[in-house]
Amino acid sequence: MKRVDIAERPDWREKATEFGFNFHTMYGEPYWCENAYYQFTLAQIEELEAATAELHQMCLQVVEKVVSSDALLTKFCIPKHTWEFVRSCWRSQQPSLYSRLDLAYDGKGPAKLLENNADTPTSLYEAAFFQWLWLEDQKEAGKLPQNADQYNSIQEALIARFEELRLNHGFGLLHMACCQDTEEDRGTVQYLQDCALEAGLPTEFLFMEEIGLGEKGQFTDMQNQVIGNLFKLYPWEFMLREIFSTKLEDAGVRWLEPAWKSIISNKALLPMLWEMFPNHPNLLPAYFADDDHPPLDSYVVKQLFSREGANIQIVKNGQQIASVDGPYGEEGKIVQQYHPLPTFGDSHTVIGSWLVNDQPCGIGLREDRELITQDLSRFYPHIILD
């Protein structure tokens, strides 16, 4: 695994605008970067793919265990009035669309799972589409070898999954929603709408704030049309606590992502995995902070529901070496053994490994000068070259 400098495409900003990539720069800071790329061998990619597939299946085993236990649902801070809703979504095998595992991997030792973004993963558009466009352009310009490839079938997998939802699961009109005033989320949902359209699945966009409640307890859109299928880029841990959560079970909506994802997008997943699969090469020791557990010299404190690096602390040899503030923390926390990210120059790199319909299908890389990857950490493209 190498980081290789390369000249930027002279027109990439114009291309970003042309293709609707409006969040390539955020708050005056570059988010998309192409002054370098990461290079993998095919063997390294195959290792990442195999680890992703196995970790995902292990996560599904955690779901089965948690939905079968009131004590574990309590430990995961799933509100009691939503237990049956979450259980029924799992037991009726409500289909999912996608997930992203965040992995620490340096190309040498086994990849280590840092967390599972199973509910509302972002960085999708740049991983699935824009880095592939970069690869094609740079090969055409002679800046990359003609045999350079990329681990990236994300877009094809998304289109195929939407087609399968339409043909095999009876999805008709798919409403798609995110919150207002989030340009990145709106761009991600627009991209998914384009993929659904390519698959012949009609969509209609609305903001989460615009979803209403009909007379018969059904969710409705701005035209009072009943919502039967809804993709929402909005976290389950929020939804399960809001006033409408009492209506979820009876509303008759098929959700993407389904409510069972509330279990594996929760940091409580990490100690459960370590308990069920101790010493697995792709796992780091992890424990509920309030439970008795073996002492860890160096560890990361994570809140059960934190996102984008918020409320994380890193302790090394008893000293806090990094922390990020944030709004999370009331629900509880876990500790996970500290595993340094690979460092290139002054930056630390994390790999986001994507799954669509439970199958690994590509990666995206983020790097940051800080030890904790956050929402503005830079995205870099990659290639495969043996």
Side-chain angles (χ1 to χ4, degrees), residues 1 7 13 43 60 63 96 121 130 137 197 264 274 341 355:
M1 179 177 166
R13 288 171 182 81
L60 297 182
V63 180
S96 69
F130 207 69
D137 286 348
L197 188 64
I264 54 173
W274 187 249
L341 295 173
L355 300 107

Side-chain angles (χ1 to χ4, degrees), residues 129-183:
F129 178 76
F130 207 69
Q131 71 166 340
W132 182 262
L133 188 66
W134 167 87
L135 175 74
E136 295 290 290
D137 286 348
Q138 293 290 46
K139 283 168 67 172
E140 191 175 324
K143 300 285 178 62
L144 288 173
Q146 289 304 302
N147 63 334
D149 200 356
Q150 192 173 90
Y151 177 38
N152 188 1
S153 59
I154 304 170
Q155 181 165 297
E156 295 93 321
L158 286 167
I159 293 168
R161 181 55 167 165
F162 279 125
E163 186 171 28
E164 187 180 349
L165 292 173
R166 177 174 65 85
L167 295 175
N168 298 343
H169 294 272
F171 272 61
L173 176 65
L174 177 63
H175 282 81
M176 305 187 84
C178 67
C179 286
Q180 293 172 334
D181 305 321
T182 53
E183 191 169 32

Side-chain angles (χ1 to χ4, degrees), residues 42-52 105 107-111 282:
L42 182 59
Q44 288 169 337
I45 292 297
E46 287 172 344
E47 183 181 354
L48 283 169
E49 185 174 47
T52 299
Y105 180 69
K108 303 183 187 88
N282 299 122

Side-chain angles (χ1 to χ4, degrees), residues 3-9 12-13 16 21 23-26 28-38 126-127 130-132 134-135 138 150 347 364-369 376-383:
R3 189 184 189 278
V4 183
D5 292 336
I6 190 173
E8 296 183 351
R9 294 169 292 170
W12 77 260
R13 288 171 182 81
F21 189 8
F23 52 94
H24 61 75
T25 303
M26 289 193 274
E29 294 292 322
Y31 168 64
W32 168 268
C33 293
E34 55 174 73
N35 59 334
Y37 61 87
Y38 283 86
E126 46 274 39
F130 207 69
Q131 71 166 340
W132 182 262
W134 167 87
L135 175 74
Q138 293 290 46
Q150 192 173 90
S347 293
L365 290 98
R366 307 275 302 279
E367 66 171 46
D368 204 300
R369 290 184 182 89
L376 297 182
S377 301
R378 303 176 301 280
F379 188 102
Y380 277 84
H382 78 277
I383 69 168

